[in-house]
Amino acid sequence: MATFKAPKGTYDLIPPVSVKYLAVREAISAPLRNSGYGYIETPGFEDVGLFARGVGESTDIVSKEMYAFETKGGDQLALRPEGTASVLRAALEASLHKQGNLPVKLWYSGSYYRYERPQKGRYRHFSQVGAEAIGAEDPALDAELIILADQAYRSLGLRDFRILLNSLGDKECRPVYREALQGFLRGLDLDEETVRRAEINPLRVLDDKRPDVQKQLVGAPVLRDYLCDACKAYHEEVRALITAAGVAFEDDEKLVRGLDYYTRTTFEFVHDGLGSQSAVGGGGRYDGLSEMIGGPALPSVGWALGVDRTVLALEAEGVELDIPASTSVFAVALGEEARRVLFGKVTELRKAGVAADFSFGGKGLKGAMKDANRSGARFAVVAGERDLAEGLVQLKDMESGEQSAVALAELIDTVKARLA
Ligand code: HAM
């Protein structure tokens, strides 16, 4: 029994399943790389104040779920619970917004940490691939991101997901709505904590899943009725552009996100096969975040898609990813001299761009052929002393079972030709 285990709420990615995570990251990032987004990587931890100010002091993410700590040097840091605040911080620090044309479009992929109550689909360590388009107020940018996420999920073969869309208004109209909602909430019979939440962040109360709360919320003022003309027009344009792209979505006026920085467009991608942790991704516009963290006004929009939940969604739909075998040629050497020669050939194959592996550990023919099978290789190259004495190796097609002798000197070219 091992002494140590992965910490609660975490799990290891190990072969053969880990290859799915790589494929998901690749599939999500491909449309971004194809659309002018540049890769950015930021540290796994930041000044705790960045998240307190950016994500919001009153959010669960900051108040309950953050891994915050003091270093030996006295710095107050936190493991990043999300990527947006970090990416914007990095862009401001490097003055990316001054160097070229706006928007600055960035994508990222990495680990995030939230001290949540673990359950299926909800972990303390999870991974996201995200995109942020910084410094432009343009409904086409919001539409672009939603369309690219849709494309990413579809390229993986996912079908049972839905896009929920809403507008949270801006600094003109949201405060008016907020006050109206607070007035309504004050008249309800709510527990102490919810009353407190209604004062700090009333929109979050709309998100309360408890039936007795939901029942009381019937008739609550809806944000849509309070949107100012500019927000309304902006939202209509986003909807029109997504519709024209053939991407289906649902208007969800109850959609409130768990982070405070959102303005106007917000959206979530939910998968119906996942139970309670159904959000496979989410995002929206955050026009005020830059100023909240000390930068200039930089209206921006972005999303993050959860890699763990996307893999669960693939499993829920029974989608098998078409992942090619990682090894094309497996070399089986019988005897010392054959080991030396074939090991050299494996190195040559690899240099020639052919994925090759070798039967390590001095196994006999039977055991080594088992390894060759397990590797998924298309060809096995088998050689013993007698073959080598004649300058030959046996090339076995693992699909058809056919085997033929090939001159050692021609092995690389033959394999390349037959794989092509
Ligand atoms: P978020 O909705 O908090 O948004 O997270 C995005 C996605 O990360 C979720 O939809 C979910 O798939 C995944 N996720 C979040 N928490 C967990 C967890 N504990 N376990 C497993 N998966 C999880 C953000 O993080 C924003 N930064 C998105 C954004 C980017 N908004 C603008 N730009």
Side-chain angles (χ1 to χ4, degrees):
M1 197 183 71
T3 312
F4 297 108
K5 290 190 166 165
K8 186 174 172 191
T10 73
Y11 63 102
D12 303 305
L13 298 182
I14 42 186
V17 179
S18 51
V19 70
K20 284 198 210 174
Y21 287 73
L22 287 179
V24 165
R25 289 188 188 116
E26 169 67 25
I28 299 174
S29 61
L32 298 170
R33 288 181 273 127
N34 195 37
S35 309
Y37 289 76
Y39 179 66
I40 184 167
E41 207 168 304
T42 64
F45 50 82
E46 296 273 353
D47 194 316
V48 69
L50 175 68
F51 303 117
R53 276 211 249 162
V55 176
E57 209 98 55
S58 73
T59 60
D60 283 353
I61 292 177
V62 168
S63 65
K64 297 184 188 155
E65 297 167 3
M66 206 149 61
Y67 284 90
F69 56 98
E70 184 177 310
T71 65
K72 289 190 168 66
D75 294 328
Q76 304 291 334
L77 302 177
L79 299 186
R80 59 184 181 189
E82 64 105 43
T84 310
S86 306
V87 167
L88 187 55
R89 193 269 308 141
L92 290 171
E93 188 172 335
S95 296
L96 294 186
H97 58 297
K98 291 181 193 159
Q99 284 169 11
N101 292 335
L102 295 174
V104 176
K105 301 207 288 186
L106 301 166
W107 76 274
Y108 52 94
S109 171
S111 292
Y112 298 86
Y113 307 86
R114 296 182 193 175
Y115 189 73
E116 302 210 61
R117 204 159 38 78
Q119 64 179 87
K120 188 168 187 200
R122 185 162 72 191
Y123 310 107
R124 292 180 172 177
H125 164 263
F126 57 96
S127 63
Q128 292 182 340
V129 174
E132 313 292 349
I134 296 167
E137 187 185 289
D138 183 341
L141 207 49
D142 308 40
E144 166 175 289
L145 280 161
I146 294 170
I147 293 164
L148 292 176
D150 181 76
Q151 195 184 325
Y153 288 135
R154 288 189 187 281
S155 77
L156 282 164
L158 281 179
R159 293 293 175 267
D160 299 341
F161 67 91
R162 291 178 292 131
I163 301 175
L164 310 180
L165 185 68
N166 194 18
S167 171
L168 291 181
D170 64 6
K171 58 177 188 289
E172 302 303 320
C173 54
R174 196 163 53 206
V176 183
Y177 170 67
R178 196 187 134 103
E179 207 154 298
L181 181 60
Q182 268 172 341
F184 175 87
L185 295 174
R186 282 190 198 112
L188 304 184
D189 179 24
L190 301 167
D191 60 276
E192 213 173 295
E193 197 190 326
T194 313
V195 168
R196 207 174 316 124
R197 182 174 306 149
E199 290 312 312
I200 304 168
N201 198 344
L203 272 76
R204 292 284 293 162
V205 179
L206 299 178
D207 211 18
D208 202 311
K209 302 278 185 297
R210 290 171 297 180
D212 59 310
V213 178
Q214 277 304 322
K215 219 187 301 163
Q216 295 194 65
L217 289 173
V218 175
V222 289
L223 183 50
R224 194 199 293 156
D225 299 335
Y226 287 78
L227 290 184
C228 60
D229 288 343
C231 283
K232 256 188 221 157
Y234 193 96
H235 196 56
E236 278 318 306
E237 185 61 15
V238 174
R239 294 176 77 255
L241 289 167
I242 308 172
T243 307
V247 172
F249 62 90
E250 296 168 24
D251 292 305
D252 182 357
E253 60 192 32
K254 282 201 178 143
L255 178 69
V256 203
R257 308 257 307 124
L259 305 92
D260 276 353
Y261 48 62
Y262 291 111
T263 51
R264 291 194 167 171
T265 315
T266 47
F267 46 85
E268 223 157 69
F269 305 92
V270 294
H271 193 277
D272 292 323
L274 291 188
S276 65
Q277 302 307 310
S278 62
V280 287
R285 187 155 270 289
Y286 48 94
D287 293 340
L289 178 57
S290 174
E291 287 149 297
M292 278 151 71
I293 63 172
L298 281 174
S300 308
V301 57
W303 51 240
L305 310 190
V307 176
D308 311 72
R309 288 187 197 169
T310 302
V311 171
L312 290 174
L314 288 167
E315 284 164 7
E317 276 195 51
V319 177
E320 285 298 331
L321 297 177
D322 185 20
I323 297 168
S326 50
T327 303
S328 299
V329 178
F330 196 95
V332 172
L334 304 166
E336 269 317 299
E337 180 56 18
R339 278 173 62 77
R340 241 168 263 135
V341 173
L342 279 198
F343 186 69
K345 286 293 167 193
V346 164
T347 303
E348 268 183 69
L349 280 167
R350 290 171 176 169
K351 281 188 187 154
V354 176
D357 203 355
F358 183 74
S359 87
F360 292 100
K363 286 182 187 152
L365 181 61
K366 215 169 139 204
M369 286 311 286
K370 245 190 211 163
D371 288 346
N373 251 320
R374 209 168 320 163
S375 76
R378 177 67 203 280
F379 294 106
V381 176
V382 186
E385 314 291 309
R386 209 179 314 148
D387 298 304
L388 288 177
E390 295 173 37
L392 294 175
V393 295
Q394 301 297 324
L395 185 62
K396 181 172 180 183
D397 186 324
M398 301 295 280
E399 263 169 36
S400 66
E402 263 167 57
Q403 188 169 313
S404 55
V406 172
L408 186 61
E410 280 152 30
L411 176 64
I412 309 291
D413 286 342
T414 306
V415 164
K416 278 172 74 176
R418 291 188 60 180
L419 280 171

